[in-house]
mmCIF file of all heavy atoms in Angstrom:
data_model
loop_
_atom_site.group_PDB
_atom_site.id
_atom_site.type_symbol
_atom_site.label_atom_id
_atom_site.label_comp_id
_atom_site.label_asym_id
_atom_site.label_seq_id
_atom_site.Cartn_x
_atom_site.Cartn_y
_atom_site.Cartn_z
ATOM 1 N N THR A 1 37.279 -19.590 12.552
ATOM 2 C CA THR A 1 37.709 -20.128 11.268
ATOM 3 C C THR A 1 39.144 -20.650 11.340
ATOM 4 O O THR A 1 39.859 -20.373 12.303
ATOM 5 C CB THR A 1 37.610 -19.053 10.185
ATOM 6 O OG1 THR A 1 38.409 -17.934 10.570
ATOM 7 C CG2 THR A 1 36.172 -18.629 9.981
ATOM 8 N N TRP A 2 39.517 -21.407 10.317
ATOM 9 C CA TRP A 2 40.856 -21.975 10.292
ATOM 10 C C TRP A 2 41.868 -20.852 10.426
ATOM 11 O O TRP A 2 41.697 -19.779 9.873
ATOM 12 C CB TRP A 2 41.083 -22.777 9.016
ATOM 13 C CG TRP A 2 41.071 -21.959 7.766
ATOM 14 C CD1 TRP A 2 39.991 -21.637 7.010
ATOM 15 C CD2 TRP A 2 42.187 -21.337 7.129
ATOM 16 N NE1 TRP A 2 40.366 -20.868 5.942
ATOM 17 C CE2 TRP A 2 41.700 -20.671 5.999
ATOM 18 C CE3 TRP A 2 43.558 -21.307 7.401
ATOM 19 C CZ2 TRP A 2 42.547 -19.972 5.132
ATOM 20 C CZ3 TRP A 2 44.398 -20.604 6.539
ATOM 21 C CH2 TRP A 2 43.877 -19.963 5.428
ATOM 22 N N GLY A 3 42.875 -21.106 11.233
ATOM 23 C CA GLY A 3 43.882 -20.091 11.492
ATOM 24 C C GLY A 3 43.430 -19.024 12.464
ATOM 25 O O GLY A 3 44.217 -18.162 12.835
ATOM 26 N N GLY A 4 42.152 -19.057 12.877
ATOM 27 C CA GLY A 4 41.662 -18.078 13.847
ATOM 28 C C GLY A 4 41.374 -16.714 13.272
ATOM 29 O O GLY A 4 41.289 -15.730 13.999
ATOM 30 N N GLY A 5 41.172 -16.618 11.956
ATOM 31 C CA GLY A 5 40.992 -15.325 11.338
ATOM 32 C C GLY A 5 39.690 -14.635 11.663
ATOM 33 O O GLY A 5 39.625 -13.413 11.742
ATOM 34 N N SER A 6 38.614 -15.397 11.826
ATOM 35 C CA SER A 6 37.305 -14.812 12.097
ATOM 36 C C SER A 6 36.629 -15.575 13.217
ATOM 37 O O SER A 6 36.795 -16.781 13.348
ATOM 38 C CB SER A 6 36.424 -14.859 10.845
ATOM 39 O OG SER A 6 36.995 -14.111 9.805
ATOM 40 N N VAL A 7 35.841 -14.846 14.006
ATOM 41 C CA VAL A 7 35.150 -15.428 15.157
ATOM 42 C C VAL A 7 33.666 -15.122 15.030
ATOM 43 O O VAL A 7 33.276 -14.010 14.633
ATOM 44 C CB VAL A 7 35.690 -14.848 16.482
ATOM 45 C CG1 VAL A 7 35.024 -15.522 17.670
ATOM 46 C CG2 VAL A 7 37.200 -15.017 16.557
ATOM 47 N N TYR A 8 32.852 -16.094 15.381
ATOM 48 C CA TYR A 8 31.396 -15.945 15.307
ATOM 49 C C TYR A 8 30.783 -16.416 16.623
ATOM 50 O O TYR A 8 31.241 -17.399 17.206
ATOM 51 C CB TYR A 8 30.825 -16.789 14.166
ATOM 52 C CG TYR A 8 31.396 -16.464 12.811
ATOM 53 C CD1 TYR A 8 32.599 -16.988 12.396
ATOM 54 C CD2 TYR A 8 30.714 -15.608 11.935
ATOM 55 C CE1 TYR A 8 33.135 -16.695 11.164
ATOM 56 C CE2 TYR A 8 31.238 -15.307 10.699
ATOM 57 C CZ TYR A 8 32.449 -15.858 10.316
ATOM 58 O OH TYR A 8 32.972 -15.550 9.085
ATOM 59 N N TYR A 9 29.730 -15.712 17.049
ATOM 60 C CA TYR A 9 29.023 -16.092 18.272
ATOM 61 C C TYR A 9 27.520 -16.047 18.044
ATOM 62 O O TYR A 9 27.009 -15.213 17.299
ATOM 63 C CB TYR A 9 29.349 -15.125 19.416
ATOM 64 C CG TYR A 9 30.752 -15.213 19.939
ATOM 65 C CD1 TYR A 9 31.732 -14.325 19.493
ATOM 66 C CD2 TYR A 9 31.099 -16.158 20.882
ATOM 67 C CE1 TYR A 9 33.025 -14.394 19.982
ATOM 68 C CE2 TYR A 9 32.394 -16.236 21.379
ATOM 69 C CZ TYR A 9 33.344 -15.355 20.925
ATOM 70 O OH TYR A 9 34.630 -15.427 21.413
ATOM 71 N N ALA A 10 26.823 -16.931 18.759
ATOM 72 C CA ALA A 10 25.372 -16.827 18.824
ATOM 73 C C ALA A 10 25.016 -15.594 19.646
ATOM 74 O O ALA A 10 25.781 -15.182 20.514
ATOM 75 C CB ALA A 10 24.787 -18.074 19.477
ATOM 76 N N SER A 11 23.858 -15.047 19.386
ATOM 77 C CA SER A 11 23.483 -13.808 20.068
ATOM 78 C C SER A 11 23.413 -13.975 21.582
ATOM 79 O O SER A 11 23.788 -13.072 22.336
ATOM 80 C CB SER A 11 22.132 -13.301 19.545
ATOM 81 O OG SER A 11 21.145 -14.305 19.746
ATOM 82 N N TYR A 12 23.022 -15.157 22.051
ATOM 83 C CA TYR A 12 22.868 -15.356 23.494
ATOM 84 C C TYR A 12 24.220 -15.464 24.190
ATOM 85 O O TYR A 12 24.290 -15.432 25.416
ATOM 86 C CB TYR A 12 22.031 -16.604 23.795
ATOM 87 C CG TYR A 12 22.622 -17.876 23.253
ATOM 88 C CD1 TYR A 12 23.682 -18.499 23.892
ATOM 89 C CD2 TYR A 12 22.132 -18.438 22.088
ATOM 90 C CE1 TYR A 12 24.243 -19.656 23.394
ATOM 91 C CE2 TYR A 12 22.684 -19.593 21.574
ATOM 92 C CZ TYR A 12 23.733 -20.200 22.225
ATOM 93 O OH TYR A 12 24.279 -21.324 21.726
ATOM 94 N N ALA A 13 25.304 -15.618 23.408
ATOM 95 C CA ALA A 13 26.625 -15.766 24.002
ATOM 96 C C ALA A 13 27.157 -14.462 24.585
ATOM 97 O O ALA A 13 28.125 -14.471 25.341
ATOM 98 C CB ALA A 13 27.599 -16.305 22.960
ATOM 99 N N ASP A 14 26.502 -13.347 24.218
ATOM 100 C CA ASP A 14 26.879 -12.039 24.781
ATOM 101 C C ASP A 14 28.397 -11.832 24.740
ATOM 102 O O ASP A 14 29.007 -11.425 25.739
ATOM 103 C CB ASP A 14 26.405 -11.904 26.227
ATOM 104 C CG ASP A 14 24.888 -11.844 26.334
ATOM 105 O OD1 ASP A 14 24.256 -11.426 25.348
ATOM 106 O OD2 ASP A 14 24.361 -12.209 27.386
ATOM 107 N N SER A 15 28.964 -12.097 23.587
ATOM 108 C CA SER A 15 30.419 -12.037 23.489
ATOM 109 C C SER A 15 30.956 -10.658 23.829
ATOM 110 O O SER A 15 32.057 -10.515 24.372
ATOM 111 C CB SER A 15 30.866 -12.440 22.084
ATOM 112 O OG SER A 15 30.326 -11.551 21.127
ATOM 113 N N GLY A 16 30.170 -9.609 23.525
ATOM 114 C CA GLY A 16 30.625 -8.262 23.820
ATOM 115 C C GLY A 16 30.779 -8.017 25.308
ATOM 116 O O GLY A 16 31.527 -7.133 25.732
ATOM 117 N N LYS A 17 30.069 -8.814 26.125
ATOM 118 C CA LYS A 17 30.149 -8.680 27.577
ATOM 119 C C LYS A 17 31.073 -9.727 28.155
ATOM 120 O O LYS A 17 31.152 -9.879 29.376
ATOM 121 C CB LYS A 17 28.752 -8.824 28.190
ATOM 122 C CG LYS A 17 27.766 -7.776 27.691
ATOM 123 C CD LYS A 17 26.373 -7.989 28.302
ATOM 124 C CE LYS A 17 25.392 -6.988 27.741
ATOM 125 N NZ LYS A 17 24.017 -7.216 28.266
ATOM 126 N N GLY A 18 31.723 -10.492 27.272
ATOM 127 C CA GLY A 18 32.666 -11.487 27.750
ATOM 128 C C GLY A 18 32.016 -12.702 28.360
ATOM 129 O O GLY A 18 32.664 -13.421 29.115
ATOM 130 N N ARG A 19 30.758 -12.955 28.013
ATOM 131 C CA ARG A 19 30.104 -14.091 28.656
ATOM 132 C C ARG A 19 30.667 -15.402 28.088
ATOM 133 O O ARG A 19 31.029 -16.281 28.836
ATOM 134 C CB ARG A 19 28.584 -14.036 28.475
ATOM 135 C CG ARG A 19 27.857 -14.853 29.521
ATOM 136 C CD ARG A 19 26.383 -14.521 29.536
ATOM 137 N NE ARG A 19 25.629 -15.315 28.593
ATOM 138 C CZ ARG A 19 25.200 -16.561 28.836
ATOM 139 N NH1 ARG A 19 25.483 -17.155 29.982
ATOM 140 N NH2 ARG A 19 24.483 -17.216 27.936
ATOM 141 N N PHE A 20 30.722 -15.522 26.761
ATOM 142 C CA PHE A 20 31.335 -16.683 26.136
ATOM 143 C C PHE A 20 32.511 -16.209 25.272
ATOM 144 O O PHE A 20 32.370 -15.232 24.532
ATOM 145 C CB PHE A 20 30.346 -17.424 25.234
ATOM 146 C CG PHE A 20 29.300 -18.245 25.942
ATOM 147 C CD1 PHE A 20 29.081 -18.118 27.296
ATOM 148 C CD2 PHE A 20 28.537 -19.150 25.224
ATOM 149 C CE1 PHE A 20 28.110 -18.875 27.939
ATOM 150 C CE2 PHE A 20 27.562 -19.920 25.854
ATOM 151 C CZ PHE A 20 27.343 -19.778 27.204
ATOM 152 N N THR A 21 33.616 -16.921 25.347
ATOM 153 C CA THR A 21 34.771 -16.625 24.522
ATOM 154 C C THR A 21 35.345 -17.917 23.971
ATOM 155 O O THR A 21 35.633 -18.836 24.732
ATOM 156 C CB THR A 21 35.862 -15.886 25.319
ATOM 157 O OG1 THR A 21 35.317 -14.704 25.907
ATOM 158 C CG2 THR A 21 37.016 -15.494 24.405
ATOM 159 N N ILE A 22 35.498 -17.965 22.650
ATOM 160 C CA ILE A 22 36.089 -19.134 22.006
ATOM 161 C C ILE A 22 37.520 -18.806 21.620
ATOM 162 O O ILE A 22 37.807 -17.692 21.166
ATOM 163 C CB ILE A 22 35.262 -19.567 20.767
ATOM 164 C CG1 ILE A 22 35.784 -20.859 20.181
ATOM 165 C CG2 ILE A 22 35.229 -18.460 19.716
ATOM 166 C CD1 ILE A 22 34.894 -21.427 19.068
ATOM 167 N N PHE A 23 38.407 -19.756 21.789
ATOM 168 C CA PHE A 23 39.780 -19.534 21.360
ATOM 169 C C PHE A 23 40.423 -20.886 21.050
ATOM 170 O O PHE A 23 39.933 -21.941 21.463
ATOM 171 C CB PHE A 23 40.589 -18.755 22.405
ATOM 172 C CG PHE A 23 40.577 -19.335 23.793
ATOM 173 C CD1 PHE A 23 41.624 -20.124 24.243
ATOM 174 C CD2 PHE A 23 39.534 -19.060 24.673
ATOM 175 C CE1 PHE A 23 41.625 -20.638 25.525
ATOM 176 C CE2 PHE A 23 39.524 -19.583 25.963
ATOM 177 C CZ PHE A 23 40.580 -20.364 26.383
ATOM 178 N N ARG A 24 41.502 -20.821 20.291
ATOM 179 C CA ARG A 24 42.186 -22.037 19.884
ATOM 180 C C ARG A 24 43.681 -21.877 20.078
ATOM 181 O O ARG A 24 44.215 -20.767 19.995
ATOM 182 C CB ARG A 24 41.854 -22.405 18.442
ATOM 183 C CG ARG A 24 42.303 -21.388 17.407
ATOM 184 C CD ARG A 24 41.663 -21.666 16.037
ATOM 185 N NE ARG A 24 42.148 -22.885 15.423
ATOM 186 C CZ ARG A 24 41.558 -23.481 14.373
ATOM 187 N NH1 ARG A 24 40.478 -22.941 13.844
ATOM 188 N NH2 ARG A 24 42.077 -24.581 13.849
ATOM 189 N N ASP A 25 44.325 -23.000 20.304
ATOM 190 C CA ASP A 25 45.788 -23.040 20.409
ATOM 191 C C ASP A 25 46.277 -23.972 19.318
ATOM 192 O O ASP A 25 46.220 -25.197 19.466
ATOM 193 C CB ASP A 25 46.200 -23.538 21.801
ATOM 194 C CG ASP A 25 47.703 -23.464 22.021
ATOM 195 O OD1 ASP A 25 48.463 -23.502 21.025
ATOM 196 O OD2 ASP A 25 48.123 -23.389 23.179
ATOM 197 N N ASN A 26 46.734 -23.388 18.218
ATOM 198 C CA ASN A 26 47.136 -24.202 17.076
ATOM 199 C C ASN A 26 48.381 -25.032 17.355
ATOM 200 O O ASN A 26 48.607 -26.056 16.719
ATOM 201 C CB ASN A 26 47.355 -23.306 15.856
ATOM 202 C CG ASN A 26 46.052 -22.744 15.322
ATOM 203 O OD1 ASN A 26 44.990 -23.349 15.453
ATOM 204 N ND2 ASN A 26 46.129 -21.555 14.727
ATOM 205 N N ALA A 27 49.175 -24.620 18.304
ATOM 206 C CA ALA A 27 50.371 -25.383 18.658
ATOM 207 C C ALA A 27 50.016 -26.659 19.428
ATOM 208 O O ALA A 27 50.726 -27.660 19.357
ATOM 209 C CB ALA A 27 51.317 -24.519 19.481
ATOM 210 N N LYS A 28 48.905 -26.611 20.153
ATOM 211 C CA LYS A 28 48.500 -27.758 20.980
ATOM 212 C C LYS A 28 47.313 -28.516 20.396
ATOM 213 O O LYS A 28 46.845 -29.489 20.978
ATOM 214 C CB LYS A 28 48.145 -27.280 22.390
ATOM 215 C CG LYS A 28 49.313 -26.685 23.150
ATOM 216 C CD LYS A 28 48.900 -26.273 24.552
ATOM 217 C CE LYS A 28 50.084 -25.723 25.325
ATOM 218 N NZ LYS A 28 49.705 -25.282 26.699
ATOM 219 N N ASN A 29 46.826 -28.057 19.248
ATOM 220 C CA ASN A 29 45.660 -28.695 18.607
ATOM 221 C C ASN A 29 44.450 -28.739 19.533
ATOM 222 O O ASN A 29 43.749 -29.750 19.629
ATOM 223 C CB ASN A 29 45.999 -30.123 18.154
ATOM 224 C CG ASN A 29 46.931 -30.146 16.975
ATOM 225 O OD1 ASN A 29 47.318 -29.095 16.451
ATOM 226 N ND2 ASN A 29 47.330 -31.317 16.549
ATOM 227 N N THR A 30 44.219 -27.653 20.202
ATOM 228 C CA THR A 30 43.073 -27.591 21.108
ATOM 229 C C THR A 30 42.239 -26.337 20.859
ATOM 230 O O THR A 30 42.731 -25.321 20.358
ATOM 231 C CB THR A 30 43.520 -27.593 22.578
ATOM 232 O OG1 THR A 30 44.364 -26.460 22.814
ATOM 233 C CG2 THR A 30 44.254 -28.866 22.933
ATOM 234 N N MET A 31 40.987 -26.448 21.209
ATOM 235 C CA MET A 31 40.059 -25.326 21.158
ATOM 236 C C MET A 31 39.348 -25.276 22.497
ATOM 237 O O MET A 31 39.125 -26.326 23.120
ATOM 238 C CB MET A 31 39.032 -25.523 20.051
ATOM 239 C CG MET A 31 37.999 -24.423 19.996
ATOM 240 S SD MET A 31 36.680 -24.744 18.815
ATOM 241 C CE MET A 31 35.889 -26.184 19.498
ATOM 242 N N SER A 32 39.005 -24.085 22.928
ATOM 243 C CA SER A 32 38.358 -23.955 24.226
ATOM 244 C C SER A 32 37.179 -22.988 24.137
ATOM 245 O O SER A 32 37.109 -22.157 23.229
ATOM 246 C CB SER A 32 39.349 -23.442 25.275
ATOM 247 O OG SER A 32 40.435 -24.334 25.433
ATOM 248 N N LEU A 33 36.286 -23.120 25.105
ATOM 249 C CA LEU A 33 35.169 -22.196 25.246
ATOM 250 C C LEU A 33 35.109 -21.772 26.698
ATOM 251 O O LEU A 33 34.821 -22.592 27.575
ATOM 252 C CB LEU A 33 33.847 -22.852 24.830
ATOM 253 C CG LEU A 33 32.618 -21.945 24.899
ATOM 254 C CD1 LEU A 33 32.696 -20.864 23.816
ATOM 255 C CD2 LEU A 33 31.338 -22.756 24.748
ATOM 256 N N GLN A 34 35.405 -20.521 26.941
ATOM 257 C CA GLN A 34 35.296 -19.966 28.282
ATOM 258 C C GLN A 34 33.883 -19.432 28.455
ATOM 259 O O GLN A 34 33.446 -18.586 27.664
ATOM 260 C CB GLN A 34 36.314 -18.842 28.495
ATOM 261 C CG GLN A 34 36.207 -18.155 29.838
ATOM 262 C CD GLN A 34 36.600 -19.069 30.992
ATOM 263 O OE1 GLN A 34 37.534 -19.847 30.890
ATOM 264 N NE2 GLN A 34 35.851 -18.967 32.086
ATOM 265 N N MET A 35 33.192 -19.904 29.460
ATOM 266 C CA MET A 35 31.813 -19.492 29.699
ATOM 267 C C MET A 35 31.724 -18.852 31.078
ATOM 268 O O MET A 35 32.043 -19.500 32.084
ATOM 269 C CB MET A 35 30.875 -20.695 29.614
ATOM 270 C CG MET A 35 30.953 -21.421 28.287
ATOM 271 S SD MET A 35 29.696 -22.715 28.115
ATOM 272 C CE MET A 35 30.238 -23.869 29.375
ATOM 273 N N ASN A 36 31.306 -17.603 31.111
ATOM 274 C CA ASN A 36 31.162 -16.863 32.366
ATOM 275 C C ASN A 36 29.701 -16.528 32.600
ATOM 276 O O ASN A 36 28.885 -16.535 31.678
ATOM 277 C CB ASN A 36 31.975 -15.566 32.302
ATOM 278 C CG ASN A 36 33.453 -15.820 32.087
ATOM 279 O OD1 ASN A 36 34.022 -16.789 32.603
ATOM 280 N ND2 ASN A 36 34.096 -14.950 31.318
ATOM 281 N N ASN A 37 29.380 -16.225 33.850
ATOM 282 C CA ASN A 37 28.019 -15.833 34.207
ATOM 283 C C ASN A 37 26.994 -16.822 33.628
ATOM 284 O O ASN A 37 26.056 -16.420 32.942
ATOM 285 C CB ASN A 37 27.729 -14.414 33.713
ATOM 286 C CG ASN A 37 26.432 -13.861 34.264
ATOM 287 O OD1 ASN A 37 25.948 -14.294 35.318
ATOM 288 N ND2 ASN A 37 25.862 -12.904 33.555
ATOM 289 N N LEU A 38 27.208 -18.069 33.897
ATOM 290 C CA LEU A 38 26.332 -19.096 33.347
ATOM 291 C C LEU A 38 24.920 -18.981 33.893
ATOM 292 O O LEU A 38 24.707 -18.576 35.049
ATOM 293 C CB LEU A 38 26.901 -20.478 33.632
ATOM 294 C CG LEU A 38 28.074 -20.857 32.721
ATOM 295 C CD1 LEU A 38 28.871 -22.000 33.312
ATOM 296 C CD2 LEU A 38 27.570 -21.219 31.338
ATOM 297 N N LYS A 39 23.961 -19.340 33.055
ATOM 298 C CA LYS A 39 22.547 -19.272 33.396
ATOM 299 C C LYS A 39 21.929 -20.656 33.272
ATOM 300 O O LYS A 39 22.445 -21.496 32.509
ATOM 301 C CB LYS A 39 21.845 -18.304 32.438
ATOM 302 C CG LYS A 39 22.474 -16.932 32.380
ATOM 303 C CD LYS A 39 21.840 -16.071 31.304
ATOM 304 C CE LYS A 39 22.522 -14.715 31.213
ATOM 305 N NZ LYS A 39 21.933 -13.865 30.150
ATOM 306 N N PRO A 40 20.839 -20.904 33.960
ATOM 307 C CA PRO A 40 20.189 -22.222 33.832
ATOM 308 C C PRO A 40 19.857 -22.577 32.379
ATOM 309 O O PRO A 40 19.923 -23.749 32.009
ATOM 310 C CB PRO A 40 18.923 -22.053 34.681
ATOM 311 C CG PRO A 40 19.330 -21.082 35.742
ATOM 312 C CD PRO A 40 20.233 -20.099 35.037
#
């Protein structure tokens, strides 16, 4: 959400295991998605 207050993930993102992580840098106007243990 705006300002980074809340984060939401799809169930397959396995966020609790660190598979997908979303983050934003408000100073640089960028958002990123780190994806680990990728699957076909």
